[in-house]
Amino acid sequence: MPRVIGLMSGTSLDGVDAAWLDTDGEHIAAFGPSLTLPYDAALRRDLRMILDLAPTLVDGDPRLVSAVDRLTAYHVRAVKALDRPADMIGFHGQTILHQPARGRTWQVGDAARLARETGVPVAHDFRSADVAAGGQGAPLVPVYHAALAVNLPKPLAILNIGGVANVTFIGRDGALLAFDTGPGNGPLDDWCARHTGQPFDKDGTLARSGHADGLVLARLLADGYFAAPPPKSLDRLDFGRALAASGLDGLSAADGAATLAAFTIRSIAAAVFPEPPARWLICGGGRRNPMLMHGLRQALGVPVAPVESAGWDGDALEAQCFGFLAARIASKRPITFPSTTGVPVAMAGGRIQTI
């Protein structure tokens, strides 16, 4: 089977994950090493600035060029640090804008440089064909979740809590449904950075010390996104206006954190599926937040556990996914489906950058 390396830089903007696996994009023969290279503070700051500026940015803007150059250098380093032979690299890049309703999704990163400096062909641009065809372009991980969960009892929900939270539902018959449930760690991370100088709420300590404000929470949950049927997807900053108008800024640091944690939990619990999941498996950085995990167990009322309980590597899972998708692209298998992104027909998507 092909040997692939997957790379992922997520909405939390904390670093690049890299993972090696042996897969044809249908079956997984073996998992290999994985790693995370945290971004330096300057790159994190500049990427966060670019997210704010993205609607008005154009290719060639010096701020964007500088950030993309440094971002790509981290990805090159990650591939070399794995030190494993590979036939293909799956390179997601960094999403800086996602507006599928306007036919726009923008991931940045220099695939040509990555291929040139690693000597390995690079599959990239995973989302744009789906969006151009009328799909949401996200989530992309469901087909990989299905491959991992092939022998697990169903119905099953697999929840990723990154900057945005997204869920894959796998029915008893193996049918897939996927969508973004709402905010993940993003608003809480931004709140903590603004009020404490810390990049995230470690162990949920700040949120646990406060009390959720019911009125602010009700305003946030009234957002029209939650009433829309899936498939549906979000940009990390999509709730910016709702957050600004909710009265959140009038709360203390602890109460604001508690309210944002409750917002994430309640929006996940409000997700509707063809049948209730019998079990939830949680991946992404949110699975390390005891307050979020406790809140989800209370709200969902069924077993909720980190993906490690199923023998999966939660830190490497998204990077593994993009290696898996690279193998699917190379073999012209579809990566998005009507029930996962709303695209009219299953689509292969992606492009391959040769050396």
Side-chain angles (χ1 to χ4, degrees), residues 50 53-66 68 96-97 104 106 108:
I50 285 167
L53 297 175
T56 59
L57 276 179
V58 295
D59 284 324
D61 185 295
R63 295 165 294 186
L64 181 60
V65 170
S66 172
V68 169
I96 62 169
L97 185 69
R104 302 181 70 191
W106 192 2
V108 297

Side-chain angles (χ1 to χ4, degrees), residues 89-174:
I89 293 170
F91 176 41
H92 176 265
Q94 180 68 55
T95 296
I96 62 169
L97 185 69
H98 187 67
Q99 297 177 330
R102 299 182 181 181
R104 302 181 70 191
T105 188
W106 192 2
Q107 288 74 44
V108 297
D110 189 340
R113 175 182 171 187
L114 182 61
R116 184 173 63 250
E117 295 192 14
T118 61
V120 181
V122 174
H124 66 112
D125 191 19
F126 292 88
R127 301 184 191 272
S128 62
D130 183 274
V131 170
Q136 292 288 308
L140 293 178
V141 73
V143 69
Y144 181 58
H145 283 159
L148 288 174
V150 65
N151 294 319
L152 294 183
K154 302 174 182 70
L156 172 68
I158 304 162
L159 176 72
N160 175 61
I161 309 178
V164 169
N166 55 72
V167 67
T168 298
F169 171 82
I170 309 175
R172 294 176 196 273
D173 60 356

Side-chain angles (χ1 to χ4, degrees), residues 159 161-165 181-192 200-214 216-218 220-221 226 239 243 246 248 251-270 285-300:
L159 176 72
I161 309 178
V164 169
T181 60
N185 300 314
L188 182 55
D189 289 351
D190 292 346
W191 178 268
C192 288
F200 62 96
D201 186 14
K202 183 173 174 57
D203 297 327
T205 302
L206 182 63
R208 199 163 52 236
S209 69
H211 299 280
D213 185 288
V216 173
L217 183 58
L220 292 172
L221 290 168
F226 301 111
F239 287 104
L243 290 165
S246 68
L248 183 73
L251 302 181
S252 68
D255 288 353
T259 303
L260 290 172
F263 184 28
T264 294
I265 292 163
R266 290 278 299 276
S267 58
I268 291 166
R287 78 190 193 287
R288 299 190 186 281
N289 184 320
M291 182 169 184
L292 289 182
M293 293 296 286
H294 175 72
L296 287 172
R297 290 185 180 106
Q298 286 192 315
L300 297 171

Side-chain angles (χ1 to χ4, degrees), residues 72-88:
T72 304
Y74 269 98
H75 284 71
V76 172
R77 284 174 50 199
V79 170
K80 292 182 176 180
L82 278 180
D83 194 25
R84 281 291 186 97
D87 303 301
M88 180 77 66

Side-chain angles (χ1 to χ4, degrees), residues 234-326:
L234 290 163
D235 182 86
R236 186 184 191 277
L237 303 181
D238 271 351
F239 287 104
R241 283 200 192 93
L243 290 165
S246 68
L248 183 73
D249 284 339
L251 302 181
S252 68
D255 288 353
T259 303
L260 290 172
F263 184 28
T264 294
I265 292 163
R266 290 278 299 276
S267 58
I268 291 166
V272 177
F273 306 102
E275 54 185 326
R279 179 187 184 191
W280 288 68
L281 293 174
I282 316 299
C283 56
R287 78 190 193 287
R288 299 190 186 281
N289 184 320
M291 182 169 184
L292 289 182
M293 293 296 286
H294 175 72
L296 287 172
R297 290 185 180 106
Q298 286 192 315
L300 297 171
V302 296
V304 175
V307 293
E308 284 78 5
S309 67
W312 305 352
D313 184 340
D315 292 328
L317 192 146
E318 282 200 284
Q320 291 170 351
C321 170
F322 284 97
F324 182 83
L325 294 180

